[in-house]
Amino acid sequence: IGQDFSNGLFTIKQLPVVQSPNGGETLTVGTRVTVSWLPVDAATSYLVRYTTDNGATWQTIAWAARGTSVVWKVPNVATGQARIRINARDANGNYIGQDFSDGLFAINP
């Protein structure tokens, strides 16, 4: 059996990781929910968005969130196809990684 090694140095990219809501939850319209994620060392801010149609369209929760969470007022849209999306950005505003809720969650009236 043969073996091979990399011809050069490489970096394993660190990504944000959505913690909550991450799929399977049922949220209630109008309540305030904490959206949380694991951070990326090189990130200085995060674009936090949600979808109510399994990713066909996205709405912004926070444009330049700092830290590892934001409080979100659950929208008045009943659905079983909601997800969270977190995009990490570096100091220059470049996107350096993203994560999505692992599964769908529901929003009920």
Side-chain angles (χ1 to χ4, degrees):
I1 296 178
Q3 60 181 333
D4 190 17
F5 298 93
S6 174
N7 293 336
L9 298 176
F10 63 91
T11 302
I12 297 174
K13 191 173 185 180
Q14 183 187 21
L15 301 173
V17 178
V18 174
Q19 294 291 288
S20 179
N22 201 30
E25 300 91 345
T26 299
L27 308 181
T28 303
V29 166
T31 60
R32 296 191 182 279
V33 173
T34 299
V35 176
S36 63
W37 58 91
L38 297 178
V40 173
D41 291 340
T44 57
S45 68
Y46 299 88
L47 171 59
V48 183
R49 294 181 280 184
Y50 72 93
T51 180
T52 57
D53 54 17
N54 197 20
T57 60
W58 293 92
Q59 306 300 318
T60 300
I61 297 172
W63 176 252
R66 301 197 186 281
T68 57
S69 66
V70 295
V71 176
W72 172 47
K73 184 176 179 186
V74 179
N76 188 14
V77 179
T79 184
Q81 297 187 358
R83 284 185 189 268
I84 295 294
R85 178 179 183 177
I86 307 290
N87 290 89
R89 291 190 292 221
D90 66 16
N92 295 320
N94 299 311
Y95 291 104
I96 56 174
Q98 70 178 350
D99 190 35
F100 301 84
S101 300
D102 288 343
L104 297 171
F105 59 89
I107 298 175
N108 288 344

